[in-house]
Amino acid sequence: MAKSFDANRLVQACTDLSEDAGITVSTALEPLAGPGAPVKPAVYAGGVYQLDRRWDHEGAIPEAVDVVVIDNVPSQANRLEAALERLREAIGLPEMVLDLSGLGELPSHLPQAISGFRFPHRQADAYLRDALLGGKPFPNTEVGKAVLAAKAERPGPLLEWFPQALAFGFWQSHLGKKRSQAKLARSWTSEIVGYRPATVDTRVLGLKGDPLNLSVVEPVEFDPDDPISWAMVEGGKKVGGGKTKERLSERGHGQVPVNGADASPAAVSFARIEQQSTVSFAGLRRICADSAEASAAARALVASIGVAAHVTAFGRAFSLRSGCELRPRTTTWTWLGAPDEEVSAPTIEEAVQLVRDCAALAEATGLPVGRRWPVEPLRLEPAPNLAAAIHRTWPSSD
């Protein structure tokens, strides 16, 4: 039976002289509809999938085969951070929140607040740079100066406010040339790949129906800022006053066929789907605190946070997007040491406890974690320039 691992083993593995390399998690995934059922990979600009060629080791002889990257490394990092947001209270993780409630009425689909776990670039994000704390520009506050200047060799502020950044990496590129340009490569990587796609050329064709079958060529005029209030116009009549003239089909009426040029790529059937996730202890050794003991404890804490995020996000059936629901069929956790060793997969509860234990060990070395993490989120507000940009993009409908 595979052994489990605990906080003490993680700390030992993260010491400067440890020969342990990391942990890898290999998972065979299956569509909810069954083996070979089509799933929808991520679609990128131009309506394309991320295609690649990978070595397939399933057979007796390794073979290079076609694959489609169903969910790539940056996307997986975002999903892991979203899982940490759900775990925040259970673990006691710190959080910064950009509060938008003071901006007045915004469209209902927009969030009323943005968690730091959702910032695209973590603590290096422009939303954090363009925020106010207590009415003062965040970069000019004590907390702001510390967080924005933090780096792997000075990780205290990140451990205190954005420990996930030390797992998933960052590049502080929004502060200008005369300020920090700190970078840290991610130590936790994850990717979902579909092997041997049956085809990647099929497009989703169809017909947008209309019970009344209204004429799609009838001209209408409307105000671009108020497309709800459109009106019919005579075919040859010109429109003015800032209004736009187009066909009724552009207002969503009539039966409109979806032709090949406009059709999106179809879901794909794969011979198999795999997720490969790895935490690199070698990568984590870039994190250096004030002592060797504190450094090892900090690295172990970061690794444990990644473990908890992975188990929560991917340890059971999950949905990546419409048409891409997957579930784990077999999962192998391998401790990469001398020699390699299979270890048991932690449950969500065990993973949460692992973070708590690692936080306690790190706190004992003097690091600002564990009981020193703030219980309540630190609430920020948009700076006037950011508020103006939000209102310009989403003007009030009044």
Side-chain angles (χ1 to χ4, degrees):
M1 183 175 180
K3 298 179 181 178
S4 61
F5 58 94
D6 59 14
N8 289 313
R9 185 175 183 184
L10 264 183
V11 171
Q12 182 59 40
C14 290
T15 58
D16 290 330
L17 300 181
S18 172
E19 295 184 4
D20 291 328
I23 303 171
T24 185
V25 185
S26 301
T27 304
L29 297 169
E30 180 180 285
L32 263 60
V39 298
K40 193 67 181 287
V43 181
Y44 298 95
V48 298
Y49 292 141
Q50 184 176 334
L51 308 180
D52 203 351
R53 295 271 293 173
R54 302 283 177 93
W55 285 104
D56 188 353
H57 294 271
E58 282 289 287
I61 301 176
E63 179 184 5
V65 300
D66 292 330
V67 303
V68 177
V69 179
I70 295 173
D71 215 45
N72 65 16
V73 172
S75 178
Q76 290 272 283
N78 292 153
R79 300 182 194 283
L80 291 165
E81 289 176 279
L84 289 176
E85 183 183 11
R86 297 194 294 272
L87 288 176
R88 191 194 78 79
E89 291 187 7
I91 295 176
L93 290 171
E95 182 183 31
M96 290 189 185
V97 172
L98 182 65
D99 189 347
L100 306 177
S101 61
L103 294 179
E105 183 180 352
L106 294 173
S108 59
H109 73 280
L110 295 182
Q112 293 299 301
I114 305 175
S115 167
F117 291 105
R118 303 282 182 161
F119 288 170
H121 300 100
R122 293 170 275 285
Q123 94 291 353
D125 199 78
Y127 279 125
L128 192 60
R129 178 203 63 197
D130 296 330
L132 301 177
L133 176 59
K136 187 177 181 179
F138 181 74
N140 296 338
T141 64
E142 290 298 320
V143 174
K145 290 176 182 177
V147 168
L148 297 180
K151 56 183 181 178
E153 298 83 7
R154 193 168 59 238
L158 295 181
L159 290 168
E160 185 175 5
W161 289 106
F162 279 89
Q164 65 272 21
L166 295 167
F168 305 124
F170 60 87
W171 177 19
Q172 190 61 270
S173 62
H174 292 290
L175 301 180
K177 293 181 179 179
K178 295 184 179 181
R179 294 198 178 188
S180 173
Q181 295 284 317
K183 291 183 181 182
L184 178 64
R186 70 181 86 242
S187 294
W188 186 283
T189 60
S190 186
E191 187 180 50
I192 297 178
V193 175
Y195 282 78
R196 301 176 186 266
T199 179
V200 294
D201 297 324
T202 305
R203 297 273 164 170
V204 180
L205 304 179
L207 176 70
K208 181 266 173 188
D210 183 351
L212 296 180
N213 195 18
L214 299 180
S215 172
V216 298
V217 299
E218 292 295 330
V220 300
E221 64 176 4
F222 69 97
D223 183 340
D225 293 329
D226 184 20
I228 295 176
S229 302
W230 58 268
M232 304 293 296
V233 298
E234 296 298 327
K237 179 183 175 182
K238 294 183 179 180
V239 299
K243 292 187 176 181
T244 298
K245 181 179 178 181
E246 60 185 20
R247 293 183 175 187
L248 186 61
S249 59
E250 298 297 329
R251 297 292 89 217
H253 290 291
Q255 296 194 152
V256 182
V258 179
N259 60 42
D262 299 325
S264 61
V268 179
S269 174
F270 297 99
R272 76 177 193 280
I273 299 172
E274 290 187 356
Q275 181 187 43
Q276 194 75 23
S277 305
T278 301
V279 57
S280 168
F281 297 154
L284 288 174
R285 291 187 188 105
R286 296 188 181 98
I287 301 171
C288 296
D290 292 336
S291 67
E293 181 185 16
S295 296
R299 298 161 190 165
L301 174 58
V302 172
S304 71
I305 289 173
V307 168
H310 178 88
V311 172
T312 302
F314 303 119
R316 51 196 166 159
F318 55 88
S319 177
L320 296 178
R321 61 189 65 86
S322 176
C324 191
E325 286 74 33
L326 302 167
R327 61 173 177 163
R329 298 304 289 169
T330 61
T331 300
T332 303
W333 287 60
T334 305
W335 189 282
L336 305 176
D340 293 351
E341 174 189 357
E342 185 175 336
V343 293
S344 60
T347 64
I348 294 178
E349 293 76 15
E350 290 169 342
V352 167
Q353 188 59 50
L354 179 67
V355 179
R356 291 173 179 163
D357 293 343
C358 286
L361 293 175
E363 184 183 4
T365 69
L367 293 171
V369 299
R371 290 172 298 177
R372 295 178 63 183
W373 278 330
V375 176
E376 296 298 326
L378 185 67
R379 305 195 77 83
L380 314 175
E381 298 176 350
N385 53 356
L386 177 56
I390 295 172
H391 283 305
R392 182 71 63 86
T393 303
W394 303 106
S396 173
S397 58
D398 295 339

